[in-house]
Amino acid sequence: MSDSEPDSKADTSALDAVLVDEPRAEDRAVNERSWAELQSDSESPSDRNVVPADVILASWLPLPPARSLPVRIWRGLCTSLEFLFGIGSLLGILAVLSTIPLLQFLSLGYLLEASGRIARTGKFREGFIGIRTMARVGSIIAGTWLMLLLPRFVSGLANDAELADPGSPAAAAWRIGVLLFTVVILTHIAMCWFAGGKLRHFFWPIVAVWRTGLWLTFGLFGRLCRPLVERYYPSLAEDLYQPLALASWFPPAAVWQGIRQGGWYVDARDGVWHFLVSLRLRYYFWMGVRGFAGAFLWLLVPSLLLLVGARAQVGFLQFVGALSLMIVSLYLPFLQARFAAENRFRAMFEVRAIRQVFSRAPLGFWFALLVTLAFAIPLYLFNVENVIRPLAWAPSLVFVTFIYPARLLTGWVVGLGMHRPAPRHWIFRWSARLGALPLVAIYVLFVWLSQYTRWYGEITFFEQHAFLLPVPFLGL
């Protein structure tokens, strides 16, 4: 998202620390040493504006740590935009995964791991896992999709020409033009992927205009104003007058750099493989499978009682099922968070341990339960009508958007209770217990009423999206 990404801890804001995939300390040391060596190589005033070609093409060379307030604010804004774009990309990816059989467990596994990390560390920001990676994946998907719209548009013009005058030279020229244009666009997309897949890579012709303006400002005209800036604001001059890697925004330069250095195919292959490994898909899938299995075992008896009671019109069975679902709803969100924190399947059934954790943060537990159930209730309205499969991601996006913050909050209060040494006063404990009863009662009432409003009828009792897979249609 941003062209400037700070790499030092001193210059990294609290929001940037959330991005969790920052360079390692030794990498930052190497980067800073590289800049120190670069600056020591041009000591004479006449060489201060000269940038070697190797430096321009060095896409690995990051921007140095910002020292002036304006540049810090600019980089903070870029980091915030990247974070927001990463959150949006994450929610979109989780929503799409939620609609694909088996891959649904990846979505649930990520949500559980997010709450588990917060519970383990006690830090809310630890729940935003791989936001920078998700921003990069989102930029690749969005940039590729936007680029592919161009051949589709040109293809539509070619079809119109063929319909207007079939077999004419103009229609044949349009067909050839579509083929050549498609090859150009696919080559452009491949170069953008090779360069890193940021949005600025896909739109480098537009970025080139911006870069040209910066070059004129700080390159040609910079010789006149640089002494004045250095005199009154030295740190700003140090931030502004830095060499910029051409390959950081110009995909052909990145491709040329890879070809010149050699081994570009091996590096690209290994980079893709390491990127896929870093996603930890197997871990999230297994986490989601176990989290689903544990929650399903908890919900099986209450859901069966409600289902049988509703179809047989037996009020007693429905009452027992509703009462048991109320009890399960009191504990299940926090049991799942503790299971993810300790990565033990048996933790899903250790109710006594959850009761002990609850005693150390009763009001937090009550608020987390309120948010979890309150965010789940409106989602039952989305099943009033059946939605065709290609559009299932749209309501799933709403589901994930509601469930994700609830999972984060649940993990935070579980971590709060796990790290506190002593229970709270009995007044707070009993106030939270009594206050939780109407919450679960209202939630169960909506679940029971959903059999009359949802498309699949009584089977809705098994679609507990607040605890199981975050998908509104036949996802359990």
Side-chain angles (χ1 to χ4, degrees):
M1 282 292 295
S2 63
D3 290 344
S4 50
E5 297 173 0
D7 291 286
S8 69
K9 267 190 176 179
D11 189 51
T12 303
S13 63
L15 181 58
D16 194 28
V18 166
L19 300 181
V20 304
D21 45 0
E22 300 171 342
R24 298 174 300 174
E26 55 267 26
D27 294 335
R28 290 193 295 265
V30 171
N31 296 335
E32 294 178 3
R33 184 169 62 252
S34 301
W35 277 104
E37 294 172 355
L38 173 64
Q39 293 173 349
S40 65
D41 289 340
S42 55
E43 293 292 343
S44 60
S46 60
D47 294 337
R48 297 168 77 179
N49 291 322
V50 178
V51 181
D54 289 344
V55 175
I56 293 179
L57 291 176
S59 61
W60 59 268
L61 191 61
L63 291 175
R67 292 177 173 83
S68 60
L69 181 60
V71 176
R72 285 174 181 261
I73 294 175
W74 169 252
R75 293 187 181 180
L77 176 62
C78 293
T79 299
S80 302
L81 292 176
E82 183 183 26
F83 175 78
L84 295 177
F85 184 78
I87 288 291
S89 301
L90 171 66
L91 296 178
I93 292 172
L94 293 179
V96 173
L97 291 176
S98 297
T99 62
I100 303 175
L102 294 182
L103 296 185
Q104 297 167 335
F105 294 110
L106 289 174
S107 181
L108 178 60
Y110 180 91
L111 296 175
L112 291 175
E113 176 65 14
S115 63
R117 286 197 184 187
I118 298 177
R120 282 195 302 270
T121 62
K123 299 178 180 179
F124 197 82
R125 70 185 188 189
E126 293 296 328
F128 300 96
I129 306 171
I131 298 301
R132 178 169 293 167
T133 301
M134 292 297 104
R136 184 63 58 86
V137 174
S139 66
I140 292 175
I141 296 174
T144 302
W145 180 74
L146 291 173
M147 290 298 102
L148 291 178
L149 289 179
L150 299 177
R152 294 180 62 182
F153 175 74
V154 177
S155 178
L157 297 178
N159 291 334
D160 293 340
E162 181 67 26
L163 291 175
D165 192 3
S168 64
W174 269 107
R175 289 195 298 270
I176 297 174
V178 169
L179 178 61
L180 295 177
F181 186 71
T182 303
V183 172
V184 170
I185 291 297
L186 293 179
T187 304
H188 171 72
I189 292 174
M191 288 192 300
C192 294
W193 286 7
F194 184 86
K198 293 187 176 181
L199 281 179
R200 62 171 177 257
H201 296 140
F202 292 94
F203 301 98
W204 66 263
I206 300 176
V207 178
V209 178
W210 167 257
R211 289 300 179 191
T212 302
L214 292 180
W215 177 73
L216 291 174
T217 303
F218 301 110
L220 295 179
F221 305 141
R223 292 177 180 272
L224 301 177
C225 61
R226 179 168 181 171
L228 187 64
V229 177
E230 287 181 334
R231 179 177 180 181
Y232 292 101
Y233 209 152
S235 60
L236 179 61
E238 185 177 357
D239 289 336
L240 293 179
Y241 299 99
Q242 294 287 357
L244 177 66
L246 184 62
S248 65
W249 64 271
F250 190 54
V255 174
W256 169 246
Q257 177 189 354
I259 295 175
R260 189 187 63 169
Q261 292 178 350
W264 62 273
Y265 171 76
V266 176
D267 293 339
R269 181 197 63 192
D270 294 343
V272 172
W273 173 253
H274 291 312
F275 174 77
L276 293 177
V277 171
S278 68
L279 295 179
R280 305 179 68 192
L281 300 179
R282 181 179 178 181
Y283 174 82
Y284 290 127
F285 181 82
W286 183 232
M287 175 70 72
V289 170
R290 291 181 296 158
F292 172 84
F296 186 78
L297 291 176
W298 272 105
L299 295 168
L300 179 60
V301 173
S303 300
L304 281 176
L305 290 174
L306 287 173
L307 177 63
V308 174
R311 291 190 172 179
Q313 296 297 316
V314 179
F316 176 74
L317 290 180
Q318 295 187 66
F319 174 78
V320 175
L323 183 61
S324 58
L325 182 58
M326 289 176 56
I327 298 174
V328 170
S329 301
L330 286 172
Y331 294 98
L332 186 53
F334 311 104
L335 287 169
Q336 286 184 306
R338 187 169 178 269
F339 149 73
E342 300 185 4
N343 200 13
R344 291 188 306 108
F345 187 70
R346 292 184 60 183
M348 189 76 74
F349 307 96
E350 295 175 351
V351 177
R352 183 175 181 181
I354 283 296
R355 293 176 63 90
Q356 294 175 352
V357 175
F358 162 82
S359 66
R360 302 188 189 106
L363 297 183
F365 268 65
W366 178 86
F367 183 70
L369 183 65
L370 169 65
V371 172
T372 300
L373 300 183
F375 281 11
I377 289 175
L379 304 181
Y380 283 98
L381 301 177
F382 280 86
N383 269 359
V384 174
E385 284 288 341
N386 189 22
V387 175
I388 60 177
R389 177 59 62 180
L391 297 179
W393 65 269
S396 294
L397 179 61
V398 179
F399 274 55
V400 173
T401 303
F402 274 86
I403 293 172
Y404 184 44
R407 293 285 186 180
L408 298 182
L409 182 59
T410 301
W412 181 74
V413 298
V414 170
L416 188 65
M418 291 173 61
H419 292 88
R420 276 183 176 174
R424 302 290 95 180
H425 196 273
W426 67 270
I427 294 180
F428 299 110
R429 298 200 304 269
W430 278 101
S431 298
R433 290 190 182 103
L434 296 177
L437 294 179
L439 298 182
V440 294
I442 295 174
Y443 171 75
V444 172
L445 176 62
F446 273 89
V447 172
W448 182 78
L449 292 175
S450 65
Q451 63 179 311
Y452 303 109
T453 60
R454 299 184 75 178
W455 180 262
Y456 299 105
E458 295 89 352
I459 199 66
T460 184
F461 296 136
F462 287 94
E463 292 185 339
Q464 301 284 343
H465 45 259
F467 313 117
L468 299 174
L469 297 178
V471 60
F473 302 104
L474 290 181
L476 293 183

